[in-house]
Amino acid sequence: MERPQRSVSCRARWEKGLRMDRLTIGIVGFGIIGQRWAACFAHAGHDVRVYDPAEGQEAVLHEVLPALAADLDSLKGPAPAPGAIRLFPTMAETLEGVDFVQENGPEDLSLKRRLLAEIENHIGDEVIVASSSSALLVSDIQAECRVPGRIVLGHPFNPVHLMPLVEIVGGKATDAQAIARARAVYEDIGKKPVTLNREVTGHLALRLMGAMWREAIALVRDGVASVEDIDRAFMYGPGPKWTLQGSFISNSLNADGIEDFLRKYGPTYQAIWDTLLEARLDADTIRAVSASTAAAAHGRGPEELRAARDAGLVGILRAVAEHGAL
């Protein structure tokens, strides 16, 4: 089978690191993640071609996408020339002429490998395939690929259309140029990518969250404080400062630089680390955390809380864009 090839001019743009012209983006998998990726790319002016074998995707396109576009308009301003989002009945039609593929399939290694193999049948050898996987390692999913060097992780943070973070990771066979090209695409649509130097379970943000959340859950389990007060401690303590400047820069401002901070307060942190609680998600712990979380919600349902979160994020992210250190 002859492989589709992109134009020399498109390849030259990648290699020179220039700002993208209007690209054609392939979205494979149109669930919650894929829908929001599509909205991001289209709002940034790129045309989007979508494939998902599930029924009812046309209704999703017309019911969900306008609200996502409105969120992006609130955050970034109206798109001057948004791209088109189109659904296609087959993978081959979807990926015809695409410049970049964002894959959003289920977290199943064997299925992911089959999916990537099918994607590769319909794209040129230079087209990057980025996976939104949150749990699988790139080395594992690229192992049976025809061109494994172009496979990268492009893991977003929820809600994908609003949150700027994208974690980029390569596998053992990934080319460094593929990582650079993926980063250029994400930066072009306004994302804030981070690149990991090596693979690790959970990538970067989830590991940081996991470390903090392990202690938070153990504090609830052991009756030290309620979910509401633990979340308040973070929201009104380190949360706002870390949102604007991150933990290292923020802490360095509490002393004469980060080295001075670590020398002054290192023993305190070491004492905390030495007494961190062991968290196990057994049945009793889950019940305790669930009950305390329900109490913290004060009767508000998930839709109300989700709407409030998304509306609040717009204001926070605007402030970060204006005043953020990173």
Side-chain angles (χ1 to χ4, degrees):
M1 177 180 178
E2 185 177 349
R3 308 295 176 192
Q5 296 294 324
R6 300 300 299 155
S7 67
V8 174
S9 60
C10 178
R11 186 182 295 114
R13 291 203 311 276
W14 291 120
E15 292 171 351
K16 292 179 181 178
L18 300 177
R19 178 172 173 81
M20 308 301 156
D21 292 333
R22 196 179 187 99
L23 299 180
T24 301
I25 307 295
I27 298 289
V28 178
F30 201 50
I32 291 175
I33 303 299
Q35 295 160 15
R36 283 151 181 78
W37 269 126
C40 289
F41 283 113
H43 192 271
H46 302 304
D47 291 324
V48 180
R49 300 168 72 90
V50 176
Y51 174 73
D52 192 308
E55 296 182 359
Q57 296 303 320
E58 197 70 43
V60 169
L61 184 66
H62 296 296
E63 293 171 6
V64 175
L65 269 296
L68 300 181
D71 286 345
L72 286 164
D73 285 347
S74 296
L75 177 61
K76 301 182 177 186
I85 302 176
R86 299 174 59 197
L87 287 166
F88 292 86
T90 67
M91 182 89 75
E93 293 173 88
T94 302
L95 299 181
E96 182 178 352
V98 299
D99 298 296
F100 184 87
V101 178
Q102 188 74 43
E103 173 271 315
N104 314 287
E107 294 287 322
D108 178 285
L109 180 58
S110 60
L111 187 152
K112 190 80 76 175
R113 285 176 171 175
R114 293 194 301 272
L115 187 58
L116 290 180
E118 185 177 358
I119 289 171
E120 284 195 301
N121 283 335
H122 306 296
I123 58 176
D125 288 355
E126 80 287 356
V127 176
I128 302 300
V129 180
S131 175
S132 297
S133 175
S134 59
L136 302 176
L137 299 180
V138 180
S139 292
D140 292 335
I141 66 176
Q142 74 184 173
E144 298 177 8
C145 287
R146 178 173 54 81
V147 187
R150 45 103 164 269
I151 308 299
V152 303
L153 180 90
H155 178 245
F157 211 66
N158 285 314
V160 174
H161 65 306
L162 295 179
M163 298 300 288
L165 179 65
V166 180
E167 298 171 313
I168 303 174
V169 192
K172 294 176 181 177
T174 301
D175 294 332
Q177 185 64 16
I179 293 175
R181 286 164 57 183
R183 187 176 182 114
V185 170
Y186 293 133
E187 288 178 337
D188 185 73
I189 66 172
K191 294 298 186 182
K192 297 294 184 184
V194 297
T195 302
L196 277 69
N197 297 323
R198 64 181 180 87
E199 294 176 289
V200 62
T201 300
H203 318 315
L204 190 56
L206 288 181
R207 290 186 72 89
L208 295 172
M209 286 176 58
M212 189 198 77
W213 214 35
R214 187 182 83 164
E215 181 69 4
I217 285 175
L219 290 169
V220 175
R221 178 202 62 201
D222 289 0
V224 175
S226 67
V227 161
E228 182 167 1
D229 283 343
I230 290 169
D231 279 351
R232 276 176 176 249
F234 188 80
M235 288 170 60
Y236 300 112
K241 294 191 299 181
W242 286 16
T243 294
L244 284 171
Q245 298 181 319
S247 61
F248 289 98
I249 290 177
S250 178
N251 282 338
S252 75
L253 300 180
N254 295 329
D256 188 18
I258 192 64
E259 183 174 349
D260 185 50
F261 177 88
L262 293 173
R263 294 188 185 282
K264 284 182 177 178
Y265 302 110
T268 299
Y269 278 94
Q270 190 63 61
I272 293 171
W273 294 335
D274 290 343
T275 58
L276 286 176
L277 302 173
E278 183 67 25
R280 296 290 179 188
L281 289 177
D282 53 34
D284 289 342
T285 299
I286 291 172
R287 278 194 293 270
V289 171
S290 297
S292 194
T293 302
H298 295 291
R300 293 166 295 174
E303 289 304 318
E304 181 182 355
L305 291 169
R306 192 174 291 115
R309 176 202 66 185
D310 290 358
L313 279 173
V314 170
I316 290 171
L317 292 172
R318 281 177 173 170
V320 173
E322 183 177 356
H323 302 291
L326 304 175

